[in-house]
């Protein structure tokens, strides 16, 4: 091998031997060194322009002046890119303006492009961050809910409901403070009272009840007051009275009581929003929002006057006009003089006085003030008082077109471009004539967010400029940051953006805005319930519902909010230990499915209940369309599903019997055939069944079909046999009860010492005892339960060493022929396939049990037990005969058992035969 390599090396050297010249030195340099020396050598050579000349020659043939182009490029000035190609003369004004206009357009387009790009990336970042936070929150809620459920399942001492919620909220998310617990309990009482009123068929002022609950909380903070103001705003929009008049007789509520439930649903949820009713609803929303802002500002006015009495100089006149004058003195009177732009009429700031009377909702007092100083006003502004009176007395605060045209002319002539016009007079003219709605601010008048919003609402005109919907688009363009400030930053105001959305009729967006923050989630849920109660909440279909956020936005339909998602995420933290209160919230989900006319009849009336049950499957959101009917039915099914889920989850709660129904001690697991009848002494109706009308389940059959039976099936799948048996029993499904017991006993018949087997046995014995006395569920299933219980008794006897008792019990079941009669053994083997599945499945169990009992009797008799020698021999012979019968029977069914079991039986048979 080495000789081959040497020869190869010699051959390789000979390949270049003819190139070597002894007169030339050898080069021992690397490639990098050779390249560096080559470049150095080239740099020493004089430059040659031959290549450049040749290139210029070739380009010249193509009529390209390369040198001129190089010179132009070198001296290119990009600052004059948009200058005209032809120079402008100094006197060419039109050309200059045209060029300037074009340059302005180009620069504006470029700036707009840059701003749009920056805004796009900012919004994209915010949206991505928000979606990520929503996903993270949902994952934490899911994981926390499961962990919390296991962590608190073993707690047995819960002295109060507050302690229950405080212990469970740790599992449903971040720990809840004592203040949050107090808030939850205060609002819980409101929802309970609401549902009680719905059951009685009367209206309930839920919004004012929520306001009272929020004000009852200790030491409310500024954000809490803002949320209370949002409830007050909604009460003005819905025109809900603070309280209802007392009912003097039984039928008074039918004719005289106001109807709140689903009052606005038919109009608000209609597909056509151009009808007269829809326009009237939008006007009511704008008017209610404006009135709420007016009351809020009047409260600020009074507190300002009371805080600075020396400057106000209120005196003894308690009139509203005098209080407004005192407020103006505090705000605009300094050093003995009024502010510069305040115009004095008859020695007082009359324009400001009239404006603030209107701003605080005292329009009639403003008109009286104008009439009192009519002469002085007319000397300055002719016909103002006449226009002002017409405007005040108009129901819609709108002047006829001739009056508006006159105001427009006066406004354009004397106020539009004047820098000295009183801003309050300017505001009054804008309000009366609805002038320049695009210019939304007035100096000194719209200084705060609330003032600006009031001005916009006062100028809304449903007949022109898009009305409230156009205002909503403008406000949505400003966004949350404009009103609430940057989120999670000092100075941000929670709840202001939600209030703004309420004012412009974006109710679903308002709830979603509150739901985004943990500290306002409670108010979000209860605001959504109040809106649904009044019929002002649109819910999406299941196909449009998102798992990340309750709000569904679609370009083809208005915003929608999943009320069921909000409620389930809210009650999930305390559902296991406070299922009663959790159900109160579930009862509110069908508010989004009931027809608007449902509130006109009492839910407690059986006649009306049956009639309504017939239409429950077609319940709509008020649109009357097929899609609305489907959404309404989906809401009902969601409420039923949550009810069943709560029943299963709260099965470990001590109040579970109260929730689903309780039975008398003498009938531990049975119910009357008609549990809803008062005559049944053995059955107490559960709270869910008592409130079933709120779920639009008005018959016992409907309640069993939609609630009890599916809940029982779910409990059975979760291995909660006791709860499943009770639910099936309450539903009157006695055959199903026995079938469940047979299956459960078949799974546990071989487990004598386990707690699960003992529990199943106890339940089965209690049920069987009651059912045998009442003659319920006779047949194959009940016989299987009896035989399985006898097998367990025999197994317990065998474990205790009582072989004879175990053998007698197994003979009494008649499952295995022990008479050594081949015809009977064969017939019983053929009948085996007709036995219950639980008995067939446990063939190995009771065959081995029987043979063990025979072996035990045989061993005891052989050891000398069982009397004299004659009796002992008789016993041994009898045992051998029965053992052979078992083996013959097992031989016929040999392939229905494992080989090990058959071998075990054969070994025992041999031992017995010896």
């Amino acid at each position: 091998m080495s000789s081959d390599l040497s020869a190869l090396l010699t051959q390789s050297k000979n390949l270049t031997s003819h190139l070597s010249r002894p007169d030339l030195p050898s080069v021992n340099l690397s490639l990098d060194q050779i390249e560096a020396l080559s470049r150095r050598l080239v740099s020493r050579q004089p430059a040659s322009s031959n290549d450049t000349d040749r290139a210029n020659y070739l380009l010249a043939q193509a009529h390209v002046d390369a040198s001129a182009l190089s010179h132009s490029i070198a001296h290119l000035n990009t600052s004059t890119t948009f200058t005209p190609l032809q120079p402008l003369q100094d006197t060419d004004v039109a050309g200059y303006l045209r060029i300037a206009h074009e340059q302005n357009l180009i620069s504006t387009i470029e700036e707009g492009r840059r701003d749009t790009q920056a805004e796009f990336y900012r919004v994209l970042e915010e949206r991505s961050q928000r979606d990520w936070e929503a996903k993270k929150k949902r994952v934490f809620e899911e994981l926390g809910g499961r962990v919390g459920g296991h962590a608190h399942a073993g707690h047995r001492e819960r002295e109060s409901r507050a302690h229950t919620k405080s212990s469970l909220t740790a599992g449903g998310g971040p720990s809840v403070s004592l203040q949050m617990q107090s808030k939850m309990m205060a609002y819980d009482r409101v929802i309970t009272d609401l549902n009680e009123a719905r059951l009685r068929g009367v209206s309930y002022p839920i919004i004012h009840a929520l306001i009272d609950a929020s004000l009852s909380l200790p030491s409310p903070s500024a954000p809490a007051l803002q949320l209370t103001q949002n409830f007050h705003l909604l009460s003005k929009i819905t025109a809900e009275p603070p309280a209802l008049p007392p009912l003097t007789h039984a039928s008074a509520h039918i004719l005289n009581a106001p109807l709140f439930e689903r009052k606005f649903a038919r109009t608000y949820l209609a597909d056509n929003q151009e009808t007269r009713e829809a326009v009237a609803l939008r006007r009511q929303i704008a008017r209610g929002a404006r009135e709420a802002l007016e009351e809020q500002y009047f409260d600020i006015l009074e507190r300002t006057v009371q805080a600075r009495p020396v400057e106000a100089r209120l005196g003894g006149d308690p009139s509203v006009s005098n209080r407004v004058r005192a407020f103006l003195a505090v705000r605009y009177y300094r050093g003995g003089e009024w502010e510069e732009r305040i115009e004095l009429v008859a020695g007082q700031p009359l324009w400001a006085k009239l404006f603030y009377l209107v701003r605080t909702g005292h329009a009639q007092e403003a008109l009286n003030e104008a009439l009192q100083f009519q002469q002085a006003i007319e000397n300055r502004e002719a016909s103002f008082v006449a226009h002002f009176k017409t405007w005040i007395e108009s129901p819609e605060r709108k002047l006829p077109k001739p009056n508006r045209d006159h105001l427009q002319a006066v406004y354009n002539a004397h106020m539009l471009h004047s820098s000295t016009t009183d801003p309050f007079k300017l505001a009054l003219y804008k309000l009366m004539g609805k002038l320049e709605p695009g210019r939304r601010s007035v100096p000194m008048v719209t200084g705060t967010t609330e003032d600006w919003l009031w001005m916009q609402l006062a100028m809304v005109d449903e007949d022109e400029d898009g009305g409230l919907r156009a205002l909503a688009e403008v406000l949505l363009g400003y966004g949350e940051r404009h009103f609430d400030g940057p989120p999670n930053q000092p100075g941000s105001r929670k709840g202001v953006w939600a209030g703004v959305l309420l004012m412009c009729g974006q109710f679903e967006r308002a709830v979603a805005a509150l739901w985004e923050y943990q500290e306002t989630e409670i108010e979000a849920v209860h605001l959504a319930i109040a809106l649904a109660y009044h019929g002002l909440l649109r819910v999406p279909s299941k196909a449009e519902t998102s798992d990340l956020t309750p709000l569904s936005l679609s370009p083809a339909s208005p915003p929608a909010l999943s009320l069921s998602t909000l409620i389930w995420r809210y009650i999930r933290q305390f559902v296991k230990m406070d299922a009663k209160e959790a159900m109160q919230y579930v009862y509110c989900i069908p508010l989004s499915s009931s027809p608007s006319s449902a509130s006109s009849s009492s839910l407690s009336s059986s006649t009306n209940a049956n009639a309504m049950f017939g239409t429950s499957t077609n319940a709509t959101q008020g649109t009357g369309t097929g899609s609305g009917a489907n959404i309404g039915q989906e809401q009902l099914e969601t409420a039923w599903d949550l009810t069943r889920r709560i029943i299963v989850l709260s099965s470990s709660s001590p109040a579970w019997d109260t929730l689903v129904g309780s039975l008398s001690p003498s009938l531990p697991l049975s119910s009357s055939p008609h549990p809803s009848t008062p005559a049944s002494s053995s059955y107490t109706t559960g709270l869910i069944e008592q409130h079933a009308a709120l779920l639009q389940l008005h018959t016992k059959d409907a309640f069993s079909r939609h609630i009890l039976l599916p809940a029982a099936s779910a409990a059975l799948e979760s291995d909660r046999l006791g709860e499943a048996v009770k639910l099936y029993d309450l539903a009157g499904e006695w055959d199903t009860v026995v079938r469940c017991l047979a299956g459960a006993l078949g799974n546990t018949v071989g487990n004598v010492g386990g707690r699960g087997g003992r529990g199943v046995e106890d339940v089965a014995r209690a049920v069987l005892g009651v059912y045998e006395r009442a003659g319920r569920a006779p047949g194959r299933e009940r016989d299987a339960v009896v035989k399985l219980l006898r097998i367990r008794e025999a197994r317990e006897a065998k474990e205790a060493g009582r072989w004879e008792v175990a053998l007698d019990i197994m003979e009494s079941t008649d499952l295995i022929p022990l008479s050594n009669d081949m015809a009977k053994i064969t017939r019983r083997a053929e009948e085996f396939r007709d036995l219950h599945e639980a008995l067939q499945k446990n063939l190995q169990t009771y065959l081995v049990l029987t043979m063990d009992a025979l072996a035990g009797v045989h061993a005891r008799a052989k050891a000398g037990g069982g009397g004299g020698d004659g009796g002992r021999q008789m016993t041994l012979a009898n045992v051998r005969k029965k053992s052979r019968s078992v083996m013959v029977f097992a031989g016929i069914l040999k392939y229905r058992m494992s080989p090990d079991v058959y071998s075990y039986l054969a070994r025992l048979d041999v031992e017995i035969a010896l």
Side-chain angles (χ1 to χ4, degrees):
M1 185 66 183
S2 60
S3 60
D4 295 340
L5 292 176
S6 300
L8 183 62
L9 176 61
T10 303
Q11 292 176 4
S12 63
K13 290 181 178 180
N14 293 332
L15 290 176
T16 58
S17 59
H18 65 284
L19 299 177
S20 62
R21 295 176 58 184
D23 56 333
L24 294 178
S26 61
V27 179
N28 297 318
L29 299 175
S30 65
L31 293 178
D32 293 337
Q33 291 174 334
I34 294 174
E35 182 182 3
L37 291 174
S38 302
R39 291 183 181 278
R40 188 181 306 169
L41 182 63
V42 171
S43 64
R44 294 175 182 175
Q45 299 297 323
S48 177
S49 59
N50 293 335
D51 294 338
T52 304
D53 294 340
R54 292 175 183 175
N56 290 335
Y57 178 76
L58 293 175
L59 291 173
Q61 291 180 352
H63 305 287
V64 176
D65 190 350
S67 59
L69 289 177
S70 302
H71 184 271
S72 300
I73 294 173
H75 296 82
L76 179 63
N77 184 7
T78 58
S79 62
T80 60
T81 302
F82 298 105
T83 57
L85 298 178
Q86 299 296 331
L88 294 175
Q89 301 296 327
D90 295 339
T91 58
D92 189 1
V93 178
Y96 171 78
L97 293 177
R98 185 182 70 256
I99 297 301
H101 177 67
E102 292 177 355
Q103 290 184 348
N104 287 337
L105 286 178
I106 293 172
S107 60
T108 301
I109 292 172
E110 180 62 21
E111 291 177 1
R113 186 191 66 79
R114 289 197 300 267
D115 293 343
T116 302
Q117 185 178 7
E119 180 69 14
F120 168 77
Y121 284 114
R122 187 187 67 81
V123 173
L124 180 62
E125 179 66 22
E126 289 184 356
R127 183 64 58 84
S128 301
Q129 184 67 21
R130 185 179 304 173
D131 291 346
W132 163 243
E133 292 295 335
K135 290 181 180 179
K136 184 169 64 174
K137 178 180 178 182
R138 181 170 175 266
V139 170
F140 284 164
E141 285 179 353
E142 293 288 345
L143 296 177
R146 294 193 182 101
V147 173
H150 293 295
H152 296 283
H155 289 185
R156 297 183 180 179
E157 295 182 0
R158 284 162 178 86
E159 299 177 357
S160 65
R161 186 168 148 232
H163 173 56
T164 298
K165 286 193 174 181
S166 64
S167 62
L168 285 175
T169 48
S175 59
V176 180
S177 63
L178 181 61
Q179 183 180 3
M180 297 283 279
Q181 297 169 23
S182 302
K183 186 191 299 186
M184 293 170 69
M185 294 175 65
Y187 287 141
D188 285 351
R189 289 189 288 270
V190 174
I191 302 303
T192 301
D193 294 341
L194 167 68
N195 290 325
E196 292 297 332
R198 292 171 61 200
L199 280 175
R200 296 195 307 270
V202 299
S203 295
Y204 180 72
I206 180 175
I207 304 175
H208 285 85
L210 292 173
I211 293 174
D212 295 339
S214 64
L215 294 176
S216 66
L217 300 175
S219 61
S221 58
L225 293 176
Q226 176 60 47
L227 298 173
T228 303
Q229 177 63 26
N230 290 345
F231 284 126
H232 176 69
L233 170 63
L234 184 59
S235 70
K236 288 296 180 181
I237 291 175
T238 58
E240 181 187 275
L244 297 178
L247 302 179
T248 56
H249 53 86
S251 60
H253 68 282
I254 297 177
L255 300 176
N256 302 326
L259 301 177
F260 296 160
E261 185 172 349
R262 309 286 294 167
K263 177 181 179 181
F264 303 102
R266 187 175 300 278
T267 302
Y268 181 75
L269 303 174
D271 294 333
N272 184 9
Q273 289 296 310
E274 303 299 333
T275 61
R276 182 173 57 186
E277 293 80 7
V279 172
L281 177 59
R282 290 195 292 272
R283 286 174 176 165
Q284 179 176 339
I285 294 172
R287 181 171 58 253
R290 191 179 68 242
E291 291 175 356
L293 291 173
E294 291 168 355
E295 291 186 4
Q296 180 189 22
Y297 199 83
F298 188 68
D299 181 63
I300 295 174
L301 183 147
E302 288 194 323
R303 286 191 280 111
T304 303
V305 171
Q306 292 173 5
R308 303 167 69 176
V310 177
E311 300 176 35
R313 298 192 299 273
L314 186 61
D317 185 4
S319 65
V320 175
S321 177
N322 187 49
R323 278 181 281 181
V324 171
R325 180 210 51 81
F327 175 75
L328 292 174
V330 173
R331 291 285 299 270
Y332 303 110
Y333 192 73
R334 297 286 185 277
E337 294 183 356
W338 293 93
E339 290 193 11
E340 181 180 358
R341 295 188 62 182
I342 300 295
E343 181 181 350
L344 300 180
V345 179
Q348 59 177 324
L350 192 58
W351 302 117
K353 195 174 183 180
L354 293 177
F355 174 81
Y356 276 107
L357 284 171
V358 175
R359 175 68 179 86
T360 56
H362 299 90
Q364 190 58 45
E365 288 80 355
L367 179 58
N368 296 337
E369 193 78 9
L371 293 175
Q372 181 180 353
F373 296 96
Q374 181 174 4
Q375 186 62 40
I377 295 175
E378 295 290 346
N379 292 336
R380 296 174 182 262
E381 297 292 341
S383 70
F384 172 84
V385 176
H387 293 319
F388 190 66
K389 181 180 180 181
T390 305
W391 180 67
I392 291 294
E393 294 176 350
S394 171
E396 302 299 332
R397 293 280 178 88
K398 185 176 180 180
L399 291 175
K401 192 175 187 308
N403 300 50
R404 296 173 62 185
D405 292 342
H406 181 264
L407 288 176
Q408 182 75 62
V410 174
Y411 177 81
N412 292 338
H414 303 293
M415 302 179 192
L416 181 59
H417 303 292
S418 175
S419 60
T420 60
T421 303
D422 189 316
F424 297 102
K425 180 170 70 173
L426 184 69
L428 286 172
Y429 269 85
K430 286 178 67 68
L431 290 174
M432 289 191 298
K434 301 187 185 300
L435 308 177
E436 293 187 311
R439 299 180 62 178
R440 302 181 180 277
S441 299
V442 179
M444 295 179 62
V445 176
T446 57
T448 65
T449 300
E450 290 75 12
D451 292 332
W452 186 86
L453 288 170
W454 180 85
M455 193 73 178
Q456 312 316 309
L457 292 168
M459 294 187 66
V460 163
D461 188 355
E462 286 297 327
D463 298 329
E464 300 177 8
D465 302 320
L468 190 64
R469 289 176 291 184
L471 176 60
E473 293 180 1
V474 172
L475 296 176
L476 289 173
Y478 284 116
E480 180 180 3
R481 296 170 62 93
H482 183 82
F483 295 96
D484 279 357
N488 302 322
Q489 296 294 329
S492 62
R493 301 186 299 170
K494 295 291 189 299
V496 176
W497 175 237
V500 171
L501 294 172
L502 287 175
M503 292 178 194
C504 59
Q506 297 291 315
F507 302 122
E508 295 82 8
R509 293 180 188 267
V511 176
L514 292 177
W515 181 255
E516 288 185 2
Y517 303 98
Q518 182 186 357
E519 55 268 31
T520 56
E521 284 183 352
I522 300 176
E523 286 80 3
V525 173
H526 294 86
L527 179 63
I529 292 175
L531 288 168
Y533 181 66
H534 284 277
L536 292 174
L537 189 72
R538 184 179 288 102
V539 296
S541 63
K542 283 188 177 181
E544 297 174 343
T545 302
S546 171
D547 292 335
L548 298 179
T549 173
L551 183 66
S552 298
L553 299 176
S554 172
S557 59
L561 187 87
S562 177
L563 179 62
S564 59
T565 301
L566 253 68
I567 287 178
W568 174 244
R569 292 185 182 181
Y570 177 70
I571 66 175
R572 183 169 52 189
Q573 50 192 339
F574 57 86
V575 65
K576 291 185 179 180
M577 297 307 299
D578 203 354
K580 176 183 176 183
E581 292 301 329
M583 281 303 307
Q584 295 295 331
Y585 286 89
V586 175
Y587 297 147
C588 296
I589 295 178
L591 286 173
S592 298
S593 66
S594 303
S596 59
S597 60
S599 58
S600 62
S601 61
S602 172
L603 291 175
S604 57
S605 172
S606 60
T607 304
N608 294 340
N610 292 332
M612 290 176 62
F613 178 73
T615 61
S616 65
T617 57
N618 295 321
T620 70
Q621 293 193 51
T623 62
T625 63
S627 60
N630 293 336
I631 294 176
Q633 183 62 24
E634 287 176 356
Q635 294 302 303
L636 283 179
E637 292 174 354
T638 301
W640 299 339
D641 178 66
L642 291 182
T643 301
R644 298 189 292 262
R645 196 181 305 180
I646 289 174
I647 290 175
V648 175
L649 289 176
S650 62
S651 59
S652 59
S653 170
W656 193 74
D657 289 342
T658 306
L659 197 66
V660 301
S662 59
L663 306 167
S664 66
S666 60
L667 297 175
L669 285 167
S670 103
S671 61
S672 171
H674 304 285
S676 59
T677 58
S680 176
S681 60
S682 63
Y683 180 76
T684 301
T685 306
L687 292 176
I688 296 180
E689 187 173 354
Q690 293 175 15
H691 297 89
L694 299 177
L695 299 171
Q696 296 193 17
L697 300 172
H698 305 286
T699 64
K700 174 64 179 177
D701 178 67
F703 179 73
S704 299
R705 185 171 68 253
H706 293 294
I707 303 298
L708 293 179
L709 295 179
S713 177
L716 193 62
E717 292 177 359
S718 303
D719 294 331
R720 302 174 185 267
L721 178 66
E723 291 81 359
V725 165
K726 184 171 184 179
L727 291 171
Y728 278 126
D729 186 74
L730 292 174
E733 295 291 329
W734 301 311
D735 292 335
T736 307
V737 170
V738 177
R739 188 181 308 115
C740 293
L741 291 175
L745 284 171
N747 294 331
T748 61
V749 69
N751 183 14
V752 178
R755 295 179 56 186
R758 175 62 64 183
V760 172
E761 182 182 357
D762 294 341
V763 172
R765 290 189 185 280
V767 171
L768 195 63
V770 174
Y771 281 18
E772 285 179 344
R773 291 195 300 269
R776 294 175 183 166
R780 177 168 170 266
E781 302 284 351
R782 198 172 77 180
D783 293 341
V785 172
V786 172
K787 292 180 179 180
L788 288 169
L789 287 175
R790 297 292 288 170
I791 293 173
R792 285 191 62 87
E793 291 179 10
R795 189 175 181 86
E796 292 174 357
K798 187 204 79 167
E799 296 292 337
R802 295 181 288 124
W803 309 106
E804 293 82 359
V805 175
L807 185 59
D808 291 341
I809 293 175
M810 288 308 303
E811 284 191 85
S812 68
T813 61
D814 201 23
L815 290 172
I816 303 174
L818 300 176
S819 60
N820 204 19
D821 184 353
M822 287 300 300
K824 185 176 181 181
I825 293 174
T826 304
R827 185 172 64 254
R828 190 58 50 83
E830 293 175 352
E831 293 174 354
F832 178 80
R833 64 173 178 270
D834 299 327
L835 290 177
H836 192 274
E837 293 81 0
L839 294 173
Q840 293 186 31
K841 183 172 62 176
N842 285 279
L843 172 64
Q844 298 181 152
T845 301
Y846 55 80
L847 277 176
V848 171
L849 175 60
T850 304
M851 188 62 79
D852 285 342
L854 289 171
V857 173
H858 175 267
R860 181 172 297 177
K862 197 171 183 179
D869 185 67
R872 184 166 60 85
Q873 293 299 327
M874 186 180 299
T875 301
L876 291 175
N878 189 27
V879 168
R880 292 189 184 99
K881 181 182 65 174
K882 293 180 178 180
S883 174
R884 291 308 306 162
S885 299
V886 171
M887 285 308 301
V888 172
F889 181 74
I892 299 175
L893 301 176
K894 179 178 180 179
Y895 296 105
R896 289 182 176 268
M897 66 187 75
S898 66
D900 295 339
V901 171
Y902 188 79
S903 300
Y904 179 77
L905 296 175
R907 186 171 65 253
L908 288 182
D909 181 59
V910 171
E911 292 177 358
I912 293 173
L914 294 178

